[in-house]
Amino acid sequence: MGFSVLKFGGSSVADATNMSRVLDIVGGALDGGRVVLVSSAISGCTDGLLACADGDLEREAALMDRHLAIVRRLFTGEEQAEAAAEVMRLFAAMEAAPAEEKVTFGELLSTRILARKLECERIHAHWVDSRELVVKDDLPETYRRIRAAVAATDAAVVVAPGFICCDSSGRICTLGRGGSDYSAALYAAALGADSLQIWTDVPGIMTANPKQVPAARTIPGMSYRAALEMAEHGAKVLYAPTVAPAMEAGIDIEIRNTFAPAGRFTRISAQPDASPWIGVASQGGEICLVGTEEADFDSASDSVQETLRTAGIAPLSVRVDGLNLLVRVREAIELPALQALHRAFFETRPLREVNLFIAGFGAVGKALVQMVGRTAATVAERTGKTLRVAGLGDSRRWRIDLGGVASLDGAVAGDFVDAVIDLAPKGSVFVDCTDSETLYKRYPDLFRAGLHIVSSNRRSFAVPYVEYAALQAAARENGCFFRYETTVGAALPMLESLAIGANSCDEILSIEAVVSCTLNQILSAYGEGPTFASLVKAAQEAGLTEPDPRLDLGGRDALRKLLILAREAGVQLEEKDVVIEPMIPASLFGVPLDAFYKGLEALEPVFAKAQRDALATGRRRRFVAFLEKDAASPLGYRAGIRVVEVPETHPAYYLRGTENAILIRSAFHPTPIVIQGPGEGARQAAASLLNDILR
Ligand code: ASP
Ligand code: MG
């Protein structure tokens, strides 16, 4: 049986979770014959080792920790101890090695760990030393040595470090940065492999770097020549020298995505290219449109000039070079130029693609995914944008595929935010549909990675004002949008209405908000029928309240919403500034839940009387959060949450069920702006998130 050569890049082996993924892929490939597994060092390791060579001891300690953490996750018992000892030995050897050899230890570490793990799983693996087999600049000798070493073993998997080699005098050296791809090509060519697979963190070679051009598409098939042009002109997905050995040996190169193994990929082969223009690559201010024999260079040059002129960009030069069109621009404007050219040449419809990464796959997350699918055509027509759910995650696992994701099936364990930061194209939108108390702490990282954020998670905003302000600043500084209309009153445009006022320096006089869905439900149902306590109980059982309904009765949920409303209106409100009059006496808070319900039942006469008194004067009781101008308060406003008796003329009088209302009085609107309607529901929330995404 023949060989497949599978090469994995640094992010594919970055940690224990990823390494397990690699071993699954290798396991699958074994069905088709023997495997040569070539690996890079774990991501960041080569840079770290270069720093070690400069005497950076901290980097060394951090690297050692990362490797030991991997070993602890992958192995147990005696095997763990042995693997850890080997890691330590390799670090000791690295310390003793001459400065210029230190960089070669990253691939030794990663491949020794992988080989051990395969053996643990009872897959016969044999590690070979690329420092002895790969002779730099001597192909015949390299091929001879690789063949001999592989012939000497019958292991199912031959594990070989990428990147490292020796020179003709036997001195240890490397194939250059990114060189592991080339190592893999050498192994493949030497063995006449059936396939050469380069496993990386993007779905193949794309029409542009997807981190720069979100609308980039995977190129399913391309010629060796076109792949070489892309690589030589800046496409980082493939190390250019890799192409020649594979081409000479007539071996197809597949570029595949470790994080979506069954997803799209690129096959590089001797087949002619299928379209006149292949893709666009760039580096250092030079943009290269890779063409073919079929391309019309005259009209393409005109179209380049025209496209850039429309984008307000003056190119320094446009010239034909072989089958490429080279466009030089100032480096500072390379990105917009690249995007404009990609749009003109590779985006058939001039639609802007927006990738969504959705955290939280509960009722709201699911409703949003469905809505994005169902509304795609309408949205494209109305807004010129195509939305694609490119990633989904919950607190434990995630799935990312720039080709589109519909569910968490096939999700991998790990931190979704880390994965998004690694893999999401700039300009993507991160959607927080979770209830997490802590996810907001990662928002600044996401902004720095160039992601916009849309959130329905009000916990992220009801944080101390300094933290809230820091989130806003992080969004601003990174040129990202940050929208959370859904956090108050679901799809009702409450925050937008406040922002319009704040932006036009309209002075807010007061806000009255009936925004606690739970309490509205209870209060509007309360009357002749069931007791107050039994309505609370029913709401709890229907999942309408927090697990402990006292959080609602105590005004916690209303408080969060009031903080968000006030801050949107430009008032730096803190929790401590809000005077809350809970609906129940303090004595009912510290007790167990059943004692609480007993106490509540005992209070029925009090609730009933309050209700009768209100009705007697033609009023209804509503739980209201308010903010009011008050010159005597330090903030200039006072804020509170309490039950208010509203007359029939008040918009909240007729609210039913979980409906919400807000009244905004301002200098420009002394008779208030009133917004009212449904205050909750998964579909409403999804519609509101979608609106924030598109706005
Ligand atoms: N580890 C080496 C580098 O970072 C080789 C590779 O990853 O291809 O350059
Ligand atoms: Mg690499």
Side-chain angles (χ1 to χ4, degrees), residues 334-350:
E334 184 184 306
L335 185 59
L338 183 69
Q339 289 171 338
L341 292 176
H342 187 272
R343 209 172 303 128
F345 280 78
F346 300 103
E347 295 167 41
T348 35
R349 289 166 303 164

Side-chain angles (χ1 to χ4, degrees), residues 194-195 204-205 218-224 252-256 265-271:
D194 299 334
S195 80
I205 301 185
T218 297
I219 306 166
M222 64 199 300
S223 64
Y224 291 113
D252 292 0
I253 310 174
E254 292 169 17
I255 314 285
R256 288 179 170 268
F265 66 99
T266 300
R267 174 183 300 281
I268 303 167
S269 71
Q271 298 287 320

Side-chain angles (χ1 to χ4, degrees), residues 45-82:
C45 183
T46 304
D47 290 330
L49 289 167
L50 289 169
C52 292
D54 287 337
D56 187 336
L57 295 178
E58 254 169 58
R59 284 292 276 278
E60 179 176 344
L63 276 181
M64 198 185 301
D65 284 351
R66 277 183 64 202
H67 285 93
L68 290 174
I70 291 175
V71 163
R72 277 196 302 274
R73 285 269 318 276
L74 288 184
F75 304 93
T76 54
E78 206 168 300
E79 279 156 351
Q80 186 185 83
E82 282 170 17

Side-chain angles (χ1 to χ4, degrees), residues 209-359:
N209 178 348
K211 298 229 166 193
Q212 296 172 321
V213 182
R217 283 178 287 105
T218 297
I219 306 166
M222 64 199 300
S223 64
Y224 291 113
R225 185 200 59 82
L228 185 60
E229 301 282 14
M230 290 289 284
E232 279 181 340
H233 289 90
K236 291 199 189 58
V237 48
L238 181 66
Y239 184 52
T242 311
V243 176
M247 182 168 81
E248 277 152 26
I251 301 170
D252 292 0
I253 310 174
E254 292 169 17
I255 314 285
R256 288 179 170 268
N257 184 359
T258 306
F259 301 94
R264 292 159 210 235
F265 66 99
T266 300
R267 174 183 300 281
I268 303 167
S269 71
Q271 298 287 320
D273 289 294
S275 56
W277 295 98
I278 304 297
V280 56
S282 70
Q283 58 193 350
E286 185 175 80
I287 298 171
C288 174
L289 274 154
V290 176
T292 63
E293 313 278 354
E294 309 302 314
D296 176 345
F297 284 88
D298 287 338
S299 85
S301 299
D302 292 347
S303 140
V304 165
Q305 298 279 7
E306 173 64 27
T307 302
L308 293 179
R309 190 168 39 246
T310 318
I313 293 168
L316 303 175
S317 68
V318 177
R319 66 190 175 86
V320 179
D321 176 39
L323 295 176
N324 301 325
L325 198 57
L326 295 179
V327 183
R328 193 157 261 297
V329 296
R330 282 187 299 112
E331 219 169 310
I333 51 167
E334 184 184 306
L335 185 59
L338 183 69
Q339 289 171 338
L341 292 176
H342 187 272
R343 209 172 303 128
F345 280 78
F346 300 103
E347 295 167 41
T348 35
R349 289 166 303 164
L351 290 178
R352 207 153 69 70
E353 297 201 23
V354 181
N355 289 302
L356 306 180
F357 293 84
I358 302 176

